[in-house]
Amino acid sequence: MKKSILIITVIAAAIMELIDTSIVNVALSHMSGNLGATLEDTSWVITAYAIANIIVIPMTSFLTTKLGRRNYYIGSIIAFTFFSAMCGFASNIWTLVAFRFLQGIGGGALLSVSQAIVFEVYGKERVGIASALFGVGVFLGPTIGPTLGGFITEHYTWPWIFFINIPIGIAVTVSSLLLVTEPELKVKAKSVDWWGILLLIIGIGSLQTVLERGETDDWFSAGYIIVLTIVAVISLSTFIWWELTTPTPVIDLRVLKSKSLAVAAILTFVTGFGLFTSVFLTPVLAQRVLLFPPTITGLILLPGAALAIVGLLFSATLLKKGVSPLIIITAGFIIFITFTWQMSHMNLEAAPGDLVGPLIYRAMGIALLTVPLTALAVSGLEPKDIPQGTALNNMMRQLGGSFGIAVINTYVAKRFGLHRSDLLSNINIFNDQTTARIAKLTNYFSSRGFSSFDSHNKAMAVIDNTINRQSFLLSYLDAYLFSGLVFLLAMPLLLLVINRKKQAGPIVIISDH
């Protein structure tokens, strides 16, 4: 009974942390108006959290060893909950950004330590079930974030996006105080690798800022983006060299000698790319182009999220029965690519029900990838290296999401310009349909009492809005195809972790031990 409550506790903590990666997205305009800030400044609320998360997640193994797992985990939950409350009470944008960064620092432990605890409870022989249970949190968090955020902002006020963490955080803290213990296999604490920590903070902080802010500030036309890119490259290159040569690294990159972990990390990066970009694209497409209200937008994601739990448990069952992870991962990639193909054929007449089917494919695809990729990541590691391996793997998922959203934002902006230009080329006085449409709209506004000048301007504004809406639609559809192409190009990496015997036989994962 205690083990079951412990599993529920740590998964709840992970879900709470992951929900906060996407719950804010739909509330930015509300925050902007309420705090008197520009939308560009308000987007730092997302950036600050992402930077803090990516910095802390790979350091989790080191901090757990140095501070003790129980102390670090419970302290992180308390910090996450406290700074969630402070975010809700923030009275200006930069105070909110500062508290949001500190919230992300606290949340960094909730993912990897929760996963390590789940693995420890179930043991390596039942890693599939452990991966499935933890996968529920990995998938549900980012998926239901926009749903929950949309509901809260539509029916309450934006601070409740943060206040909702308080009762959950208190419950998780109390349960953790009673149930979380030190790991059975304790690793001796190392001396502090201050140079590694400094290089990691500078490198990841610079990289995340470039990824999150690049599109907003037109990439390399902004001087600070150029500077931060150079800083990121130098810092991360030096960090890798330092961590591979120092005897007490803050992040033991040597675990990447495990071929299974190295390949799983890359594929997890791609999975994060698909998971977060689809969570980003779908609500924007639904609200901005298809004009669905926030609540409806959230509801269309729920059937897939519910079925994903079935998919996670199903993939764990297949692993337990000896089905090759290669087969499950391949199926997951194909199903997700099917989702992107279906979404690329939407039109402006699409109803909410038209998106539910493809989103179920998305959910099942990611669900089938989560469990075998997690199992693959730790399959070649010694027990003492599993915390470091899971931390690196989790970092790659978050990095994949940040990188994916940055790339997709840029891609959509470029495709929007191209599609708008193409559509405008058909809007001229020689096009009978165009002139007839403008005349009809002008007459409509004239009948409502507007002057002929104002009626014409309003008619042209309607035409311009229609062109923009169609251009955005085509751009988002292209973005889904682009995401599918990334998945397709990543699939051959699976060939690196299989061992095909000459005689007919099962495909097995190569283990380094």
Side-chain angles (χ1 to χ4, degrees), residues 44 47 51 205-214 224-225 228:
W44 276 100
T47 304
I51 290 173
S206 300
L207 177 63
Q208 275 296 112
T209 304
V210 169
L211 291 176
E212 298 278 346
R213 303 293 300 173
Y224 86 96
I225 293 290
L228 288 180

Side-chain angles (χ1 to χ4, degrees), residues 134-201:
F134 190 76
V136 171
V138 168
F139 182 86
L140 286 185
T143 301
I144 67 176
T147 305
L148 190 58
F151 178 83
I152 290 172
T153 52
E154 194 170 347
H155 295 92
Y156 301 97
T157 55
W158 67 261
W160 282 98
I161 283 176
F162 301 108
F163 291 151
I164 197 174
N165 289 329
I166 297 173
I168 302 171
I170 292 172
V172 169
T173 300
V174 173
S175 182
S176 297
L177 282 167
L178 296 173
L179 299 173
V180 173
T181 60
E182 292 300 318
E184 294 178 8
L185 181 66
K186 291 193 70 173
V187 180
K188 187 179 179 182
K190 302 175 289 187
S191 59
V192 180
D193 177 17
W194 292 113
W195 279 111
I197 293 172
L198 180 64
L199 289 168
L200 178 69
I201 292 172

Side-chain angles (χ1 to χ4, degrees), residues 191-472:
S191 59
V192 180
D193 177 17
W194 292 113
W195 279 111
I197 293 172
L198 180 64
L199 289 168
L200 178 69
I201 292 172
I202 294 172
I204 291 294
S206 300
L207 177 63
Q208 275 296 112
T209 304
V210 169
L211 291 176
E212 298 278 346
R213 303 293 300 173
E215 174 56 31
T216 302
D217 293 330
D218 199 20
W219 293 103
F220 297 111
S221 62
Y224 86 96
I225 293 290
I226 296 174
V227 172
L228 288 180
T229 300
I230 295 170
V231 170
V233 170
I234 294 174
S235 299
L236 292 176
S237 300
T238 307
F239 171 77
I240 292 170
W241 168 79
W242 178 261
E243 295 302 283
L244 291 174
T245 55
T246 187
T248 56
V250 64
I251 301 176
D252 190 2
L253 297 178
R254 297 178 186 90
V255 296
L256 289 171
K257 290 189 295 184
S258 164
K259 187 186 290 185
S260 57
L261 174 60
V263 172
I266 297 172
L267 295 178
T268 299
F269 179 92
V270 173
T271 302
F273 183 103
L275 173 62
F276 285 93
T277 55
S278 58
V279 166
F280 168 76
L281 283 172
T282 303
V284 176
L285 171 68
Q287 293 181 0
R288 187 178 195 175
V289 178
L290 302 179
L291 308 180
F292 298 166
T295 302
I296 296 297
T297 301
L299 289 175
I300 64 176
L301 291 163
L302 287 184
L307 287 173
I309 298 174
V310 177
L312 287 161
L313 296 174
F314 177 66
S315 60
T317 303
L318 291 178
L319 278 176
K320 191 174 180 180
K321 290 185 176 181
V323 176
S324 169
L326 170 69
I327 296 173
I328 305 172
I329 294 171
T330 301
F333 269 83
I334 291 172
I335 292 172
F336 187 86
I337 291 168
T338 301
F339 151 73
T340 62
W341 177 256
Q342 289 180 332
M343 290 299 293
S344 72
H345 288 78
M346 291 292 160
N347 57 55
L348 292 176
E349 305 302 317
D354 296 325
L355 273 67
V356 171
L359 288 171
I360 288 175
Y361 276 97
R362 167 194 172 271
M364 294 303 293
I366 297 293
L368 290 178
L369 288 170
T370 301
V371 177
L373 281 177
T374 305
L376 176 63
V378 301
S379 65
L381 298 177
E382 296 283 5
K384 66 180 179 63
D385 293 326
I386 287 179
Q388 184 68 79
T390 56
L392 284 170
N393 208 43
N394 286 325
M395 181 191 74
M396 292 300 287
R397 183 186 299 107
Q398 301 299 96
L399 267 180
S402 296
F403 180 79
I405 290 173
V407 168
I408 287 296
N409 256 327
T410 303
Y411 185 74
V412 166
K414 301 295 183 187
R415 296 300 294 174
F416 173 80
L418 180 64
H419 287 304
R420 179 175 164 80
S421 178
D422 287 343
L423 291 173
L424 281 174
S425 67
N426 296 308
I427 307 299
N428 56 66
I429 59 173
F430 303 107
N431 187 314
D432 293 337
Q433 289 182 327
T434 300
T435 53
R437 178 67 173 160
I438 293 173
K440 184 177 180 180
L441 288 168
T442 301
N443 291 334
Y444 170 80
F445 288 115
S446 294
S447 69
R448 294 294 184 273
F450 292 97
S451 67
S452 58
F453 178 79
D454 287 340
S455 296
H456 179 74
N457 283 343
K458 285 183 175 295
M460 294 306 295
V462 170
I463 295 294
D464 186 61
N465 182 64
T466 302
I467 291 170
N468 285 341
R469 190 176 168 214
Q470 185 69 45
S471 299
F472 273 120

